[in-house]
Amino acid sequence: MNIVIIGNGITGITCARNIRKLDSNAFITVISEESEHFFSRTALMYIYMGHMKFEHTKPYEDWFWNKNRISLIRAYVKTLNSKDKTLHFDNGKSIAYDKLIIASGSIPNKFGWPGENLYGVQGLYSIQDLEQMERNTKNISSAVIVGGGLIGIEMAEMLHSRKIEVKMLIRENLYWSNILPREEAQLIGKHISAHGIDLRFNTELREIISDDQDRVKGVLTNTGEQFECQFVGLTAGVKPNIGFLEKHELETERGILINEYFETSIPDIYAAGDCAQFRNPKSGEPAVEQLWYTGKMQSETLARTICGDKSAYNRGIWFNSAKFFDLEYQTYGQVLPEINDQQKSFYWEHLNGKHAFRANYSNKDESILGFNFIGIRFRQAIAEDWIREHKTIDFVIQNLKKGWFDPEFSKAYYNDISHSYLQSLKGGNEE
Amino acid sequence: MKDISLSIASPSAANPLQKMGAALTACAILCSIIAAFGVGKSHPLLFFFLITGLFISGGIFYSIPYFKAQAGIKNDGIMQNSLSSRGAIAWGIAILMTGFYIILYWFPYYLEGLIRTMDPLSMMLRGKASDQWFLYGAFYTLAVLIMGMRFIAKYKFSRYHIIRTISVMFFQLGFAFLLPAFLLKLNQPEFYFSYFWPLKYSYLFPNDLDYLIQSGNLGVFMVFWGLVMTFIATPILTYNFGKRWYCSWVCGCGALAETLGDPYRQNSDKSLKAWKIERWMVHSVLVFITLTTALLWLNSWKSGTILGDASGLFSQWYGFLIGSVFSGVIGTGFYPIMGSRVWCRFGCPMAAILGLFQRFKSKFRITTNGGQCISCGNCSTYCEMGIDVRAYAQKGENIIRASCVGCGVCSSVCPRGVLKLENLEEEGRFIPYIRHEDKK
């Protein structure tokens, strides 16, 4: 079997590795335009900040690919010919496949802002973006970041490490409030501000202003303010990278349309990761999953299907994590920005504003639905078991110690949390 | 791949206070060199205060920005800094330190002036004049204390790091510097209660034991202490806490690596090849010293009739090759190039024994938290022992490696809180995390 994978990100590579584990005879080829070897995209910020070099971000040594007989091709796929099952590259060469897996990832969103193509204006997704950012931020003093998501805060931290002044334009009135409940959004917003980042809430980009050499010199906002800057980071999300399929009959919408087996509209072509879009996502789950974790889980399932054990994707209990400057964030299960009328929520925050805990639960049977942890590390397996087994909020609060994952000798807060919970029961001042 | 453009990124401007600290430290080194050329002999007290004062104030200035900053990981610019990324400054320091060791071991007379600056302190503590080893001990302890302060400042967010750093500072100052000096003053054997066989290999050599036993009751206790620590305490402590109880909490070599060596921890080689070399080397040293010890006892038992001088020669060579060249010249001199734990990783027989316990019979592990690893590589990069931590973490496996000294920095630098050092039940420590949905 001749398997060709487009994309050497976490999805494509996890797929290749898992196919090799299940099938020692398959021919596996991975095509990437971006880099010769797989690297961790999540670590790009640390290269810029000088915590690591590019070589440190490669999870496998270079001999690994040969040893596991995974061929790597550095090329850009220009066209897909699904009738005679071949891919054509920009360098004129082509390759045939029996099964094709598209894991081409994302590109940064642009929304047609005036000036979005000026020099010094960019998003951050690929290694080329990072190289460009290195050039664009050389010897500059101030930057504006548009969008208050995870890449936005990464960019802010990167620029801050080079002593560049950063303003962030955030459409909502709180940081990341489309994901975080109000209290967490406020806490994290304060932490970011304490690091010297100028957060501008309720502010949208109107126009990027150019100097006479097509370089950015400032931005104009919807509030009529004008900010001088030599760099603009566009971090208003990412979208599936499917431009090379534009003229192809493969069905796409926002992403490549797939079913729960990652099958596209054409036999023997599969898609997974950031570039794929579920036709019928389960209720409460997004159609396009753009996370490291989901890319990894999707491709593990897909590898089984490719190797003959047809398996449907089951994302399991939701989890995610992030870090905002020095604040770590972990979430398990369902914690939406606002609870609905069938839910209750308990929230605890340390006076120092560096640790917070939230548990959402059903108001019918008090079973736990989800957690947010800020400045607290918690065991994933325990959180998931409790959610899956519908443990009650009382049980959870009493047993927090079991899942506590903070380093040894750290101050533990489970007693404070439990105390605060009992107080809230007495006072009845739950949300 | 245009990696080069990324690795030569412009460094963030160094803090003026840190520049000041570096300048003061350079002055201290300069004063030491001047003293060594003879001036130290005529003005010992002046140069003693000048050198220690400059070193200490340099360390304080260097640490102030860490104390003032928001608590958190402070690794910005490490890969662009010449000092920490094998640049010209790193090579300069490596040559300086290696040179110092060579002179110290084989040409101590060039240090005469510097040694004399330590006379006042040596007289006070030991009741006798300084020698090269007292000078070395004083510098060593000073380095651990000053750079320990810097380490505490840098990792002030972590009580684990603060406590264990205070621990290594305490053991270095108290057990490896002051106590042996006082023992000398009291006309007792100069004994290091924080070093055991096989790191302090001679503590189980027949000659040393004879000497200790004949020196009186305290000497007998020292023999007893050495035996108990090597054969009883070490296995029990390592079973319960992993080798870290020694390597990053007590040991003097570990103390220097964790403090003076911290700026270089990222330079350890993480490749599979380096791991193979490490296993061959460190276990060979262990076999070598065990054989040497056994031979010496056999010889002593047969009153020297079987082997004659051969076993003595054997131990002399071990002392030269391993005790001096490896642990000192290469082990410390190469910090800036090969990372802070070269000796601990490739040469220390104590680490080898503790490692075997840790790998096969211990409650210690670094737990990986479920499927949360994002493969970023911070853990592997900052592992001073050259363990590819990420290789385990990204598979949901716990990290159980013979070489892990339990410094805890991987857990600190992890941006997703994936790693936790802990002692749990021995059973099940090798079982990886498997998603509930994937369990069959």
Side-chain angles (χ1 to χ4, degrees), chain A residues 141-157:
Chain A
S141 60
S142 59
V144 167
I145 290 169
V146 182
L150 293 182
I151 302 181
I153 191 63
E154 283 185 6
M155 246 189 181
E157 199 174 342

Side-chain angles (χ1 to χ4, degrees), chain A residues 327-397:
Chain A
L327 275 192
E328 288 173 20
Y329 155 78
Q330 297 182 338
T331 184
Y332 301 104
Q334 195 188 44
V335 182
L336 297 173
E338 279 179 41
I339 52 171
N340 60 33
D341 56 5
Q342 282 150 31
Q343 297 173 343
K344 283 186 178 177
S345 188
F346 167 72
Y347 178 76
W348 169 90
E349 186 179 309
H350 193 280
L351 282 174
N352 69 10
K354 288 181 176 172
H355 310 275
F357 166 80
R358 179 183 296 278
N360 283 359
Y361 53 101
S362 154
N363 64 8
K364 256 185 275 157
D365 58 359
E366 305 231 304
S367 64
I368 190 78
L369 301 168
F371 300 96
N372 273 352
F373 295 94
I374 293 175
I376 295 169
R377 297 174 171 183
F378 202 80
R379 286 179 209 271
Q380 180 175 6
I382 301 258
E384 288 181 346
D385 283 352
W386 287 352
I387 294 166
R388 192 180 302 113
E389 292 160 11
H390 307 291
K391 296 290 190 209
T392 64
I393 180 75
D394 284 355
F395 174 90
V396 164
I397 297 285

